Amino acid sequence: MCPDQIIELMHDYLDDELDPKKEQILREHLQSCKECQTIFNELKKTVAFVQSISHMQAPADFTAQVLAKLPKEKKKIWIGRLLKSHPILSAASVFVALMLGSLVSTWNQDQEFSVSKQKNLVVKDNTVIVPKGKVVKGDVIVRNGDLKIEGEIQGDATVIHGKKYLASAGHVTGDIEEVNEVFDWMWYHMKTTTKKVVHVLDSE
Amino acid sequence: MEQIVKKRIKQVMKGDHDAFGDIVELYKNSIFQLCFRMLGNRHEAEDLAQEAFIRAFVNIESFNQDLKFSTWLYRIATNLCIDRLRKKKPDYYLDAEVAGTEGLTMYSQIPSNTPLPETEVESLELQETVQNEILKLPEKYRSAIVLKYIEDLSLNEISEILDLPLGTVKTRIHRGREALRQQLRYV
């Protein structure tokens, strides 16, 4: 019977961990011992068998399955990727962001009382009054103040950051509009800009 | 390659799913194969391999970036497989071995439409025999053998994955190899 130590040497050899000295011992023993030679060959064959089955592939939809089961992606990443893959979208979003920023800041900055200049308008403590029986021609715009209509406005009346009071005798021929929220403000801004553009186009 | 993986991991840490998709593509075959050789059944293997990736994603914060990502991933998958083997209840799958037969699965009970060429049958039979012998190994030898010969990893990596001293890993591989030799010597 061969010493167990020889079997150990075989395993070390298979692990690539046999120093040359010990390898010499193993080789010499194998040359003289048929039994150990058989074991050694069987071990090498076993390793080859096990290695031969090592080429399996995951199912085709594996990655998609995993990704579908992940917790939801953070919005920041998602938007970032969207913008990366659609440069026009990112240009547009930058434009919109700047536009919004400037609009909102003008909304917040513009705290001063102002009124469009027209004949017959009376101003009293941040309140603009259209006196009884008087007629104001053209559109009236009041910022950061109230509008009291007792007479007649031949045109539109717009109150930004304020309230309008329409007396029973008061009359406005055009539209009456109150703008009190940022969104109203933006909407108003967009409308007047479009109107101006349309106007310019029309006059051409 | 490690550089690409590191870059992807950083993106994954920010929550990027696409970057993680690249990681899954890279390691899916290894991880799926590891699970299949450990459990011996495709359904369970796919299930656990997916679970391993999901856990890696969810716990990516706890991954130490100085280490090799694959080692960490293998460790998650191996632990999941071992846990599953320990609390395994009898499940019935088509590719599970039929009781009392040698390497017969429910698939072999279903007549196949196209007859396979003889050499292919032989190599398939050999593969099945080898797989079944691996599955008969006690789980501690099985994990070491699979990581060494199926995944082709170094003893040092295996010792890190299994969180065992190098000497213990060697002993397990020696014993596993010896047990397989006993079974496969006359094949």
Side-chain angles (χ1 to χ4, degrees), chain B residues 68-171:
Chain B
K68 224 173 148 186
F69 179 74
S70 56
T71 304
W72 187 64
L73 188 59
Y74 275 125
R75 184 186 291 182
I76 295 174
T78 315
N79 287 341
L80 278 173
C81 289
I82 291 173
D83 279 353
R84 176 66 64 95
L85 287 170
R86 282 183 188 157
K87 55 184 166 197
K88 202 168 180 178
K89 294 177 218 129
D91 278 330
Y92 297 99
Y93 291 97
L94 273 178
D95 50 4
E97 203 177 308
V98 178
T101 60
E102 189 70 18
L104 273 183
T105 67
M106 290 301 274
Y107 277 127
S108 42
Q109 315 287 76
I110 305 169
S112 113
N113 296 332
T114 49
L116 290 167
E118 206 154 304
T119 49
E120 207 167 317
V121 171
E122 271 172 22
S123 89
L124 276 181
E125 272 171 8
L126 175 63
Q127 283 188 23
E128 237 167 78
T129 311
V130 175
Q131 164 80 353
N132 285 329
E133 292 310 328
I134 292 174
L135 288 174
K136 280 184 200 159
L137 291 175
E139 114 222 338
K140 54 183 184 176
Y141 301 159
R142 195 189 312 167
S143 51
I145 288 285
V146 168
L147 290 170
K148 170 78 182 158
Y149 288 114
I150 306 283
E151 303 293 346
D152 200 23
L153 299 172
S154 73
L155 294 175
N156 278 319
E157 273 179 288
I158 298 170
S159 121
E160 269 186 64
I161 292 166
L162 297 177
D163 203 15
L164 290 170
L166 196 59
T168 311
V169 172
K170 277 187 202 168
T171 310

Side-chain angles (χ1 to χ4, degrees), chain A residues 112-181:
Chain A
E112 257 174 54
F113 171 77
S114 74
V115 61
S116 53
K117 273 185 188 160
Q118 270 125 341
K119 233 182 161 183
N120 293 337
L121 280 181
V122 179
V123 179
K124 209 180 191 178
D125 295 338
N126 284 9
T127 304
V128 179
I129 303 167
V130 182
K132 241 184 211 169
K134 294 277 165 71
V135 174
V136 177
K137 282 181 184 171
D139 299 341
V140 177
I141 300 171
V142 181
R143 282 172 208 269
N144 306 310
D146 298 338
L147 175 65
K148 218 175 197 173
I149 309 164
E150 290 167 347
E152 188 181 342
I153 297 174
Q154 288 179 348
D156 299 341
T158 307
V159 184
I160 299 163
H161 252 182
K163 286 202 177 80
K164 56 137 205 338
Y165 305 99
L166 186 61
S168 51
H171 185 63
V172 177
T173 58
D175 299 329
I176 310 175
E177 204 166 7
E178 254 182 68
V179 181
N180 278 321
E181 298 295 333

Side-chain angles (χ1 to χ4, degrees), chain A residues 182-201:
Chain A
V182 177
F183 286 111
D184 289 340
W185 165 243
M186 289 192 305
W187 177 231
Y188 168 73
H189 210 83
M190 271 153 57
K191 266 199 312 197
T192 46
T193 315
T194 331
K195 262 187 201 162
K196 273 182 204 157
V197 171
V198 170
H199 200 72
V200 169
L201 290 177

Side-chain angles (χ1 to χ4, degrees), chain A residues 7-8 10-12 14-17 38-40 42-43 45-47 49-67 69-74 77 81 84, chain B residues 13-18 20-21 24-25 28-29 32-33 36-37 42 46 49-50 53-54 57-58 126-127 130-131 134 145 148-150 155 170 173-174 177-178 180-181 184-187:
Chain A
I7 304 281
E8 273 309 301
M10 289 182 202
H11 282 293
D12 286 341
L14 292 171
D15 287 342
D16 281 328
E17 298 216 321
T38 312
I39 293 176
F40 191 52
E42 284 170 358
L43 276 173
K45 190 173 82 172
T46 301
V47 167
F49 277 162
V50 175
Q51 282 171 330
S52 76
I53 63 166
S54 68
H55 301 288
M56 268 194 103
Q57 291 203 335
D61 62 344
F62 186 88
T63 305
Q65 293 272 351
V66 171
L67 292 183
K69 287 178 189 167
L70 294 185
K72 268 204 170 159
E73 201 170 29
K74 286 174 196 153
I77 300 275
R81 178 167 332 113
K84 238 187 213 168
Chain B
M13 283 177 164
K14 289 178 197 153
D16 192 330
H17 279 197
D18 276 16
F20 194 65
V24 178
E25 276 298 312
K28 63 176 183 181
N29 291 340
F32 173 69
Q33 162 131 294
F36 181 70
R37 298 302 176 200
R42 279 184 170 270
E46 191 179 351
Q50 286 182 7
F53 280 109
I54 292 165
F57 181 85
V58 173
L126 175 63
Q127 283 188 23
V130 175
Q131 164 80 353
I134 292 174
I145 288 285
K148 170 78 182 158
Y149 288 114
I150 306 283
L155 294 175
K170 277 187 202 168
I173 288 176
H174 293 187
R177 215 157 31 201
E178 182 55 29
L180 287 174
R181 179 185 75 87
L184 294 171
R185 59 204 286 196
Y186 299 121
V187 173

